[in-house]
Amino acid sequence: QNIIDPLKYQTMRRRKTTAKATIPPLKLPKKTVTPPPQSPHVPAKVHGSNNGNVFTVFTLTTTVSLALYTSTLSPTIAGGDAGELVAEGCQLGTPHPPGYPLYTLLLYTGITIAKALTRAILPAGSNILGVSPAIVANGMSAVWGSVASG
């Protein structure tokens, strides 16, 4: 009884090794695609009536602040770094760090345009120096400050 028939043992072993394990396919639940939630920020209308109001408020604020800035405009160089910034704006230099490169370039451009306009307007050979670079610098600061406040 303890003796195993070798032929029977081979067939049993073959069945065990050749038997294929059947794994049921993985069934995932179906996902429903939901749109992202709407942002509470509503973008401005492109062709709406609000655009006229925004432009009106910007124009009004800029005009009022420009009038206030020009009424208190300094005709000379004020204290602090103003002298250094005007001097470097005249010759396109670099003031102390951080250097204010955009301000220096805008100031140089404004002073160059002011010089060209005064040469075109004033007669040749006149001894009038024209517009002071300090007035140009203060005027440009007033314009950019009023646009920023608008």
Side-chain angles (χ1 to χ4, degrees), residues 36-78:
Q38 289 288 347
S39 172
H41 172 69
V42 179
K45 295 179 184 176
V46 176
H47 295 292
S49 62
N50 289 339
N51 286 342
N53 293 340
V54 169
F55 183 72
T56 304
V57 169
F58 172 77
T59 306
L60 181 67
T61 309
T62 303
T63 305
V64 168
S65 61
L66 184 61
L68 183 66
Y69 284 147
T70 54
S71 68
T72 60
L73 192 68
S74 174
T76 60
I77 295 176

Side-chain angles (χ1 to χ4, degrees), residues 2-131:
N2 289 341
I3 299 175
I4 300 175
D5 184 18
L7 186 62
K8 187 177 180 184
Y9 179 73
Q10 277 184 343
T11 56
M12 282 175 39
R13 191 169 175 210
R14 207 176 281 150
R15 283 183 191 156
K16 285 182 181 177
T17 57
T18 60
K20 294 182 181 177
T22 57
I23 300 173
L26 185 62
K27 294 182 180 179
L28 298 174
K30 292 184 179 180
K31 290 186 178 180
T32 57
V33 178
T34 57
Q38 289 288 347
S39 172
H41 172 69
V42 179
K45 295 179 184 176
V46 176
H47 295 292
S49 62
N50 289 339
N51 286 342
N53 293 340
V54 169
F55 183 72
T56 304
V57 169
F58 172 77
T59 306
L60 181 67
T61 309
T62 303
T63 305
V64 168
S65 61
L66 184 61
L68 183 66
Y69 284 147
T70 54
S71 68
T72 60
L73 192 68
S74 174
T76 60
I77 295 176
D81 292 337
E84 183 180 3
L85 292 172
V86 171
E88 298 305 324
C90 289
Q91 60 186 7
L92 201 59
T94 304
H96 67 278
Y100 312 108
L102 179 63
Y103 182 80
T104 305
L105 287 172
L106 290 174
L107 187 58
Y108 178 76
T109 305
I111 290 172
T112 305
I113 290 172
K115 284 180 183 178
L117 287 176
T118 53
R119 285 186 195 134
I121 294 172
L122 295 176
S126 65
N127 290 333
I128 301 174
L129 295 176
V131 179

